[in-house]
Amino acid sequence: MPPSVRAGAMTHAIFRVARLHRMLAGQLLRRVGLHPGQELVMMQLWDLGPQRQTDLVRLLGSDAATMTRTVKRLENAGFVRRRPSETDKRATIVEPTAASLALRKDVEQVWAELEGSVADGLEADEQDTMIRVLDRIEDRLSRAVERHDPLS
């Protein structure tokens, strides 16, 4: 490890793991015609039903511009439909199409394969420990983001 990285060894490890995880997710999702992140939008829609686009932004911790591009690509692929809200003319409702329902099983298989790659060789108690540690790291990083947000 380069000396400049030693001061942030855990940060460097998280960066490396996140990069490889996203790379593998991209390879697996490509088989079903999706890019990383698109499956998360679809999962929310499948599980929760039609959503306001702004709610998808909040649920997934995204930003409006990224979500607009993601939804547009999913719409072009025939997996979602956008329509104006009946109760709020400023809002857009995003809903899964019938075509996306066939995709659901494939996405679930991709996630199972991804999870298997992550958890391979780890005992159940080690997996539980990893989830608890990652939850704590996420919580601390969320607080740091809020403290450093100039709009807060």
Side-chain angles (χ1 to χ4, degrees):
M1 184 180 311
S4 60
V5 173
R6 275 194 211 118
M10 195 164 31
T11 296
H12 190 252
I14 290 169
F15 173 81
R16 292 188 327 266
V17 168
R19 183 179 49 81
L20 287 168
H21 187 272
R22 185 168 178 85
M23 187 183 306
L24 179 57
Q27 291 170 349
L28 297 174
L29 287 166
R30 204 173 0 254
R31 297 190 313 216
V32 299
L34 294 178
H35 296 281
Q38 291 178 332
E39 84 282 13
L40 296 172
V41 172
M42 295 310 308
M43 288 173 171
Q44 290 294 329
L45 295 173
W46 292 324
D47 290 345
L48 301 175
Q51 297 288 309
R52 293 183 320 161
Q53 192 163 314
T54 55
D55 292 333
L56 288 170
V57 167
R58 182 183 45 77
L59 286 166
L60 296 172
S62 183
D63 61 77
T66 299
M67 186 59 65
T68 297
R69 283 191 305 273
T70 300
V71 168
K72 192 172 287 193
R73 289 177 180 140
L74 289 168
E75 185 177 39
N76 290 341
F79 298 134
V80 301
R81 179 180 315 108
R82 289 186 295 174
R83 61 177 168 77
S85 170
E86 295 172 4
T87 57
D88 181 355
K89 297 304 177 196
R90 298 169 297 167
T92 299
I93 303 297
V94 181
E95 57 190 9
T97 62
S100 80
L101 298 179
L103 185 69
R104 185 175 188 164
K105 185 174 182 175
D106 294 336
V107 168
E108 289 170 353
Q109 287 175 343
V110 163
W111 266 61
E113 187 173 342
L114 188 57
E115 184 76 2
S117 295
V118 169
D120 186 36
L122 296 175
E123 300 295 329
D125 62 325
E126 292 174 307
Q127 292 178 38
D128 291 342
T129 299
M130 288 297 301
I131 290 169
R132 281 195 310 278
V133 169
L134 289 169
D135 284 344
R136 288 175 61 195
I137 291 170
E138 179 185 19
D139 181 59
R140 297 230 170 38
L141 289 172
S142 292
R143 288 186 207 169
V145 166
E146 288 174 15
R147 279 195 313 271
H148 293 93
D149 184 358
L151 300 177
S152 298

